Amino acid sequence: MKTKNHHGLLVYREEDINRNRRFISLLMEGAKKVNLSLSLVPLETFRFSVTSEKGVPFTLDHEVELRGNHEHAPPSFLINRSVSPWLNELVEKKGIRVMNSPFLSRIANDKRLTHAYFHSKGIPMLETFSLTKTSLLKNHPFPVPYIIKDPYGRGGTGVHHIQSDQDVQRIKDLLPEELVGQPVCDQPGKDLRVYIVANKIVGAVLRESTSNDIRANISTGGKSSLYKLSKGETMLVEQMMDGLTIDFAGIDFLFDLDGNLLFNEMEDSVGCRSLYMNSSINIADVFMKHVAGVLAEK
């Protein structure tokens, strides 16, 4: 692959860098294996010229210089793990290959859009409402108990189990104005994460809560194990991927009473800790090989 001159940027929010140091290192190592160079750049150091037609689209409060410095080639690609879909869109408009596409990043980072998109494809899921805090304080969207989520939340953050009017009043100051509401699933505290690179299933992990918490995230204390998808489950995931270009993402599912999968959410900056804990799959290597292949085709 002719990738030795390709340089890319790996973008994280500053607050997320320390807890993701291990995975950042794995991505850097994976890049070297396929002759790519990769520089970590905090999102907060970006200054992006949205109106420039030529010259320097980025300036950075950082040691990495782009375009304006002749000692460095322009970036060939950008890996955005900062949960900022607007960046994917602007970077693509500058002719730089971004992982993932603006469309995928946009729907993956807004639970309302993700549910609307996959519902239109006939994917099974819980009844889902977009609502506001104002409307929630006036009326319950479902009989209690039910779940309220921040539509932009990730890693189990912004999820609340509502069991009474008192619960709503107790957490109201913590809630954003925009919300997603769902009933409690038949098997709370249990979910399945499917990892996808280049529209191929790389692995799947079953996550289960070890407490009364309805969330099964590893970051909230859940346990995990490698999971083998059935033929029907594989076909469901493939149906979801049809028509999408997924460079690297995770799709999460809940389980109904009979053990059938129900779509829950998609993350395009998906956490991979549970996959490394339970398998020998180095998904950072798999992903960087995909990036190198994409660049070799250009």
Side-chain angles (χ1 to χ4, degrees), residues 7 23 59 85 122 153 172 176 192-193 236 267 294:
H7 174 69
F23 191 63
T59 57
K172 66 179 182 179
L192 178 70
R193 170 162 288 175
L236 177 65
E267 291 192 13
V294 168

Side-chain angles (χ1 to χ4, degrees), residues 140 144-146 161-170:
H140 289 289
V144 292
Y146 59 89
H161 189 189
I162 305 300
Q163 302 182 72
S164 67
D165 284 330
Q166 290 71 32
D167 282 347
V168 176
Q169 294 300 319
R170 176 175 53 81

Side-chain angles (χ1 to χ4, degrees), residues 56-298:
V56 185
F58 306 106
T59 57
L60 305 170
D61 301 324
H62 190 270
E63 64 269 19
V64 177
E65 296 292 337
L66 306 175
R67 295 189 187 272
N69 187 332
H70 297 296
E71 295 179 4
H72 297 276
S76 302
F77 65 98
L78 184 142
I79 300 169
N80 183 15
R81 292 182 63 84
S82 67
V83 194
S84 49
W86 61 266
L87 181 59
N88 296 51
E89 192 156 350
L90 294 184
V91 167
E92 185 179 81
K93 288 182 183 299
K94 295 296 181 181
I96 298 169
R97 181 61 159 87
V98 63
M99 316 286 169
N100 288 291
S101 72
F103 177 76
L104 186 85
S105 183
R106 182 68 64 185
I107 66 168
N109 287 294
D110 188 327
K111 293 177 175 59
R112 298 163 297 190
L113 296 179
T114 332
H115 279 82
Y117 177 78
F118 286 123
H119 182 264
S120 72
K121 300 184 74 168
I123 304 302
M125 61 184 66
L126 294 172
E127 184 180 10
T128 303
F129 276 91
S130 171
L131 67 156
T132 64
K133 179 167 70 172
T134 301
S135 66
L136 174 65
L137 293 173
K138 293 179 180 178
N139 295 292
H140 289 289
F142 304 98
V144 292
Y146 59 89
I147 307 299
I148 288 296
K149 300 179 181 180
D150 180 345
Y152 305 112
R154 57 196 172 109
T157 61
V159 178
H160 301 278
H161 189 189
I162 305 300
Q163 302 182 72
S164 67
D165 284 330
Q166 290 71 32
D167 282 347
V168 176
Q169 294 300 319
R170 176 175 53 81
I171 65 168
K172 66 179 182 179
D173 292 338
L174 302 176
L175 297 175
E177 181 58 29
E178 300 175 30
L179 297 166
V180 170
Q182 294 176 321
V184 179
C185 69
D186 292 323
Q187 297 194 51
K190 177 181 177 181
D191 73 13
L192 178 70
R193 170 162 288 175
V194 179
Y195 292 90
I196 297 166
V197 175
N199 280 54
K200 293 184 175 66
I201 298 170
V202 176
V205 173
L206 179 68
R207 306 183 302 179
E208 299 176 90
S209 174
T210 55
S211 65
N212 291 326
D213 198 324
I214 59 170
R215 298 169 298 174
N217 303 72
I218 299 301
S219 60
T220 60
K223 64 178 183 178
S224 60
S225 58
L226 200 64
Y227 183 94
K228 183 175 176 57
L229 295 172
S230 70
K231 182 177 179 180
E233 290 167 342
T234 300
M235 290 176 63
L236 177 65
V237 177
E238 290 174 346
Q239 179 187 349
M240 297 177 73
M241 291 190 290
D242 184 44
L244 288 174
T245 298
I246 301 177
D247 292 308
F248 183 16
I251 301 179
D252 294 351
F253 297 91
L254 304 172
F255 294 88
D256 69 13
L257 199 56
D258 297 319
N260 300 309
L261 297 185
L262 299 171
F263 170 72
N264 187 37
E265 64 181 20
M266 174 185 279
E267 291 192 13
D268 81 327
S269 56
V270 60
C272 302
R273 179 182 169 192
S274 59
L275 185 65
Y276 282 100
M277 289 170 57
N278 293 285
S279 77
S280 60
I281 299 169
N282 187 339
I283 199 168
D285 278 359
V286 176
F287 175 49
M288 294 314 302
K289 287 178 183 176
H290 163 63
V291 174
V294 168
L295 296 173
E297 295 172 358
K298 293 182 68 174

